[in-house]
Amino acid sequence: MEIEGVGLIDISIAPFVEKLNREGFTTLASCSGLMHDHTIWTKREDGYLSFLYEEKNSQLIKLISEQLDLEYSEGECYLKPAFTLRFRGNSDEAVREKWRIFEETLFGKRDA
């Protein structure tokens, strides 16, 4: 799915990535890590979400990543200072659940 001002995003995480950017978390790159979104994959890859490094957002995301046991790393993405989270699991359901819990922890539960 293409999001204006962001680019092509895996359909499973596009609404969340759009919300992140709208709420002031500048994303630089992402991958859902879901086989469902990548039908040409022959093996499972990590999901990830890279953000532009901004001190306040970095500290909040780092705290959440520690709480949820998500890998957090700092470096560069597209030659910009960035931090990245990794979403790993043995199945689409496990990876999808990590994305869901991360979103709920950051923004609260969605209305049903």
Side-chain angles (χ1 to χ4, degrees):
M1 172 179 206
E2 182 139 10
I3 297 174
E4 188 175 329
V6 177
L8 290 174
I9 308 295
D10 293 339
I11 192 81
S12 296
I13 61 171
F16 179 49
V17 171
E18 188 172 36
K19 182 176 184 176
L20 284 164
N21 284 280
R22 196 173 50 245
E23 297 293 326
F25 296 88
T26 305
T27 62
L28 299 173
S30 62
C31 175
S32 68
L34 301 173
M35 299 285 285
H36 175 79
D37 286 338
H38 302 277
T39 56
I40 62 169
W41 282 1
T42 58
K43 66 179 183 94
R44 182 167 300 286
E45 302 284 339
D46 291 347
Y48 64 86
L49 188 53
S50 293
F51 297 87
L52 180 64
Y53 186 90
E54 298 166 307
E55 188 68 34
K56 131 187 114 143
N57 290 345
S58 172
Q59 294 307 311
L60 174 60
I61 302 281
K62 188 173 187 177
L63 285 172
I64 293 171
S65 71
E66 290 170 357
Q67 178 184 356
L68 301 179
D69 197 29
L70 297 172
E71 181 185 320
Y72 172 97
S73 62
E74 295 180 3
E76 287 187 350
C77 181
Y78 300 120
L79 303 176
K80 295 179 181 180
F83 59 95
T84 300
L85 296 182
R86 298 263 173 207
F87 297 80
R88 295 187 171 117
N90 294 324
S91 67
D92 274 9
E93 293 76 25
V95 174
R96 191 176 289 116
E97 181 67 2
K98 289 186 180 206
W99 280 102
R100 185 192 65 75
I101 291 170
F102 176 67
E103 181 178 4
E104 281 187 1
T105 303
L106 187 58
F107 292 123
K109 290 189 178 189
R110 292 185 254 175
D111 294 332

